[in-house]
Amino acid sequence: MARFWAMTPRELGLFLEAQRRRLIRQFDADARVAWLTAKLTAYAPEKGTRFVKLERLLHHEKKVEKMDWRQQAAILDSW
């Protein structure tokens, strides 16, 4: 376990981001196992066609465009 009081803000941010990614990865793995188990144990043929798509259960991150320094300067100037 990391000692939080001895971490810089940057290290703490990196640590928290790594934990967030780990939890998302674990959730997606668990969702895949649960979905596949439910799909394989469903009685055929009509129930298998009414299944929720796996992609709807998985975590999808929105792509965020990084701002260049001009956009950041414009935001700071607006304050």
Side-chain angles (χ1 to χ4, degrees):
M1 183 73 181
R3 295 187 307 167
F4 295 112
W5 60 88
M7 298 175 89
T8 65
R10 182 175 184 275
E11 289 173 333
L12 182 61
L14 291 173
F15 176 78
L16 292 175
E17 177 64 20
Q19 291 299 316
R20 185 184 72 81
R21 287 184 183 184
R22 182 186 60 80
L23 289 172
I24 289 171
R25 217 174 26 252
Q26 184 64 45
F27 174 83
D28 284 350
D30 292 345
R32 281 187 182 97
V33 168
W35 183 87
L36 185 60
T37 303
K39 183 86 168 175
L40 290 175
T41 59
Y43 53 90
E46 81 277 350
K47 190 171 180 184
T49 59
R50 295 189 320 225
F51 258 75
V52 175
K53 299 287 184 192
L54 177 61
E55 292 80 26
R56 287 189 55 207
L57 299 176
L58 300 179
H59 183 269
H60 297 286
E61 291 192 21
K62 297 177 183 175
K63 297 288 180 182
V64 178
E65 271 190 47
K66 296 214 173 191
M67 292 187 281
D68 66 345
W69 66 271
R70 290 177 202 92
Q71 291 170 321
Q72 292 176 356
I75 291 172
L76 286 175
D77 288 341
S78 68
W79 284 6

